[in-house]
Amino acid sequence: MEIAAADVARILDLYTRGMYLQAYQFGTSFAPLLEWEGTAARLLAGRLARQVGAPRLSRWHMIKAYRGQPSHPEAIYYHARYYLERHNLLASWRFLRARNDAANDAAPELRADLFSLHAFIAARLRDFGQSERWLQRALELTPDRPWIHVERAACLEFAERYEEALASARRAMELRPYFRPAVQSAAQLLLTMDRDAEALELLTEAVQRIECAAVVTQLAALQDELGKHEDSRRSYDRFAELSPLMEEEVLQWLAARRSDILYDLGDLESSRQQALQAGDGFHKTVSERLARVSPSAKRVVLEGLERLPRPLPQMIPAALVIIRRYWQKGEPIPDDDPFRLDVPLEYQERRWAEQGGWIVREFTATPASLHALIDASVPVALGVVEATFAQLQAIAGYDQHKDILLFRDPTERHLGEMMLDPLLERFKSNGPRALIMLPPTEAGRLDGIDLPDAPLYEMVYELHRAMEVFNRDAASDALARLQAAAPEHRLAMHARYMLARYDAHNVEQLDAIDALLKRFPDDPTFLLARVTCLRELDRRDERLELLRRLSDQPTADLVFAQQYAQEMAPDARQHRA
C-alpha cells in the first residue's frame, strides 16, 4: 500500500523525536508495516520495524527499497549498512565505493551521512587518518547534523579517544535533545570510563523522554550490573511494551534476559520457565539444569576480580593481569619480561606469572579442582585453544544450579557464563590447561587441594626452560622423565612433539602428532600441525587430500579451507575450486 507523502512526513517526525511507539501506532493505522510500498515508505518502515522488535522485517524492507530503486541515495546508504550487519566491513566499503556517483545528486544531509559512513568503516579498519578526512567532508556539508557527531563519536571511540568521543556525543544531544543514537553512544562511553552514576542518570532520564526499546535495554543491563534486579525486571517489561512487533529471535532474546533477571531475584522456577522460551543453546541447557537442582548446589563469586582499565595491555594476556590485580590492587604490573613470538605461549604465560617470586601451578582442569580453588578464593586462568589462536579466561566463580563457570572478560561489565561440562569436553585435548598464581604469603590457600597432573606440568616446564637456554641434554632428560612417569599421557606425547620441533626433526614431529591424533582425531590444532609437517616433508598429495577432506566438513575450522585454496591457487585448472 502506498502511504501518502504527508503521512510519511508525520510518521518521520515522530520517529525523529524518538517516539517510535507512537510512530508505529500512527503508521499502522493506514496499513501493517509489511504492506507499505514505495521507496520512501519502505525505508521508513525498515527503520521503524527495527525499533519495535522486527529486525528481519526491517532488513526485508531495506533490501526491497534498494532493489526497487538502486540509484536512490538513501536506499544505497541503508543497503551499505545492511552489508555491515550481514556481511563485513570490506563488502560494505566496496559497495559504497562502487556507488560514489549516486551521492553527487543527493541532498546535503544524505551526502553527509554517506561520508560519515565511509568514516565509520575506515575507523573500524583502524585507518583513522582517512576516517577523519571523511568526517571533515561530512561536517563541512552539515556542521549541525546530530547524526554526524554520533558517527564521529564512534570513530573516536575506536581510536580510544574516549573524552573526545563523549564530547562529540554530547554535542549531538545539544543539537537535538535526547537524540536516541547520541544517548546510546554517550551512555556506552560513560560506562567505558567507569562513570556508572552518570550513565544511569542519563539513561533513566532518556527512557522517560523517548519511546525507545534499545535505550531501555541499556538501562536494564546497567541496573542488573549494579544489583538493581527488580528495576531491571521492570525495564525489560517496558522493553516488551515498546516492541509490539517482536519477532521470534527478539522474543527468545527477551525470554533469556528475563530468565537471567528472575534467577538473580532468586525465583528459580520462573527463571526456568523463561529459559524454556529462549530457544536452543545455552538457556535450553539452563532450563534442564534448573529442573533438577540439588539442595546442596551453591553459587560462589570472587569479589575483586575486576575488568581492566583502558588502555588494555598489548602483549601480556589480560587474564593474568586481572588475576595479579586481584591479589595486589594498585601495584604496578610487571612488564620487564616481554612475550616473544618464537617461544611457546604456555611457557611464557607461566614465566611471566612467576615474576616476583609468586607461586604458580599448572594443572588439568576438573570440576572438583576448579570448585575447590574458587572456594579457597583463588581465581583460575583457564586455557582455551583453537586452531589459530589460544587465550586464557579468568575464572571468577561457579554456579552449581546452572553447572556453569563465571569468567571475567577484560572489557565486559558483566561476568560471562560458560557451561562447565561442554567446556571440559571441547578442550580435553589441551586438558584443558589451567593456571593459578598467587603471592607466597597466600600459599596456605592451596593446602589440601588436588591439582590433577600438576607434577607432569612441572616436567613440561623444565623442558621449555631447557630449550630456551639451548640446553638440549637437559631438555631430553626432562622428556625422558615425563615419558617414564606417564608414557601414554597427552602431555608426554605433546612434549615429544615440542622437542622434535626444537630439533627441526620433521619425521619425529609427524610421528608425535599422529600419536596425538589417535587419541584426539578431530582436534584442529593437531590437524593443523599435521598439515604443516606434511608441507615441510614435501608430501603434497597427502597434504592436499587431508585439506580437501577437512574443507568438506561443515563444522571444520575455516583455516583448512583457506589453506586448501592457497594450495590450489598456483594451478589454473583449480581456480574455480
Side-chain angles (χ1 to χ4, degrees), residues 528-546:
L528 193 59
R530 191 173 201 279
V531 170
T532 301
C533 290
L534 293 172
R535 182 179 293 111
E536 294 296 326
L537 291 167
D538 199 24
R539 291 161 60 171
R540 188 170 188 273
D541 290 343
E542 190 176 348
R543 183 171 74 254
L544 281 175
E545 175 56 26
L546 175 59

Side-chain angles (χ1 to χ4, degrees), residues 300-305 326 373-380 395-397 415:
V300 180
V301 182
L302 300 184
E303 299 295 334
L305 204 67
Y326 168 83
L373 287 164
I374 296 299
D375 286 342
S377 298
V378 178
V380 182
I395 305 302
L415 289 175

Side-chain angles (χ1 to χ4, degrees), residues 117-157:
L117 182 54
H118 281 86
F120 178 87
I121 297 172
R124 282 280 299 275
L125 294 170
R126 304 196 68 77
D127 187 345
F128 298 118
Q130 183 164 188
S131 175
E132 186 62 31
R133 289 191 290 274
W134 281 107
L135 283 170
Q136 286 305 314
R137 293 180 66 183
L139 288 168
E140 287 169 6
L141 279 175
T142 58
D144 294 330
R145 185 165 174 77
W147 175 244
I148 307 304
H149 292 276
V150 173
E151 290 279 63
R152 183 169 184 270
C155 296
L156 291 167
E157 183 179 4

Side-chain angles (χ1 to χ4, degrees), residues 258-525:
R258 282 172 159 164
S259 174
D260 294 342
I261 292 299
L262 289 165
Y263 184 84
D264 290 337
L265 288 169
D267 190 345
L268 300 190
E269 177 56 27
S270 296
S271 175
R272 186 182 74 84
Q273 292 296 332
Q274 287 292 326
L276 282 170
Q277 302 173 41
D280 293 334
F282 180 85
H283 281 85
K284 180 179 180 181
T285 305
V286 166
S287 69
E288 295 168 355
R289 299 276 166 77
L290 292 180
R292 45 183 172 83
V293 173
S294 168
S296 61
K298 60 182 179 179
R299 176 185 174 95
V300 180
V301 182
L302 300 184
E303 299 295 334
L305 204 67
E306 300 168 347
R307 68 193 184 114
L308 296 180
R310 304 299 179 107
L312 298 176
Q314 294 299 304
M315 294 298 294
I316 305 167
L320 297 183
V321 178
I322 289 171
I323 292 175
R324 189 171 280 267
R325 284 167 56 90
Y326 168 83
W327 293 112
Q328 290 187 345
K329 290 180 174 58
E331 295 292 323
I333 299 300
D335 59 1
D336 55 347
D337 190 7
F339 278 58
R340 294 160 42 191
L341 297 178
D342 61 337
V343 179
L345 180 61
E346 64 269 22
Y347 170 61
Q348 295 186 87
E349 290 167 348
R350 172 155 182 179
R351 189 181 63 184
W352 184 89
E354 286 185 336
Q355 292 180 94
W358 280 40
I359 296 170
V360 180
R361 296 287 184 272
E362 296 171 277
F363 62 97
T364 297
T366 62
S369 61
L370 293 172
H371 291 170
L373 287 164
I374 296 299
D375 286 342
S377 298
V378 178
V380 182
L382 189 65
V384 175
V385 180
E386 299 288 0
T388 55
F389 75 94
Q391 68 179 46
L392 294 174
Q393 296 282 9
I395 305 302
Y398 65 87
D399 188 329
Q400 292 175 320
H401 297 97
K402 297 181 179 181
D403 196 17
I404 60 173
L405 293 177
L406 303 165
F407 68 94
R408 170 61 70 190
D409 186 272
T411 60
E412 294 295 328
R413 301 180 59 81
H414 285 75
L415 289 175
E417 298 181 342
M418 58 176 85
M419 288 292 173
L420 178 54
D421 289 341
L423 175 81
L424 300 182
E425 175 63 25
R426 179 178 178 184
F427 298 110
K428 64 183 179 181
S429 62
N430 180 52
R433 166 179 168 262
L435 178 148
I436 52 173
M437 51 186 288
L438 61 167
T441 55
E442 302 290 343
R445 295 179 183 270
L446 302 182
D447 291 347
I449 298 178
D450 178 40
L451 301 177
D453 298 330
L456 302 183
Y457 276 100
E458 292 299 321
M459 298 180 203
V460 174
Y461 188 47
E462 288 181 38
L463 172 73
H464 284 303
R465 282 192 301 183
M467 289 191 296
E468 185 181 32
V469 297
F470 308 108
N471 189 337
R472 178 64 175 72
D473 290 340
S476 180
D477 178 65
L479 176 59
R481 286 187 287 111
L482 177 58
Q483 290 176 324
E488 299 301 320
H489 198 282
R490 60 174 181 81
L491 283 173
M493 290 187 278
H494 193 260
R496 176 191 171 202
Y497 166 71
M498 293 300 298
L499 188 58
R501 279 187 61 188
Y502 174 86
D503 293 337
H505 193 326
N506 295 320
V507 174
E508 176 71 3
Q509 285 185 67
L510 183 60
D511 194 52
I513 283 296
D514 283 344
L516 284 164
L517 283 169
K518 286 181 181 178
R519 180 83 61 83
F520 309 104
D522 299 320
D523 183 80
T525 57

Side-chain angles (χ1 to χ4, degrees), residues 9-34:
R10 170 87 182 276
I11 299 165
L12 182 59
D13 176 65
L14 290 167
Y15 182 96
T16 303
R17 290 191 284 118
M19 297 306 191
Y20 302 129
L21 186 59
Q22 292 182 44
Y24 170 77
Q25 291 169 340
F26 180 70
T28 52
S29 67
F30 302 101
L33 290 187
L34 182 64

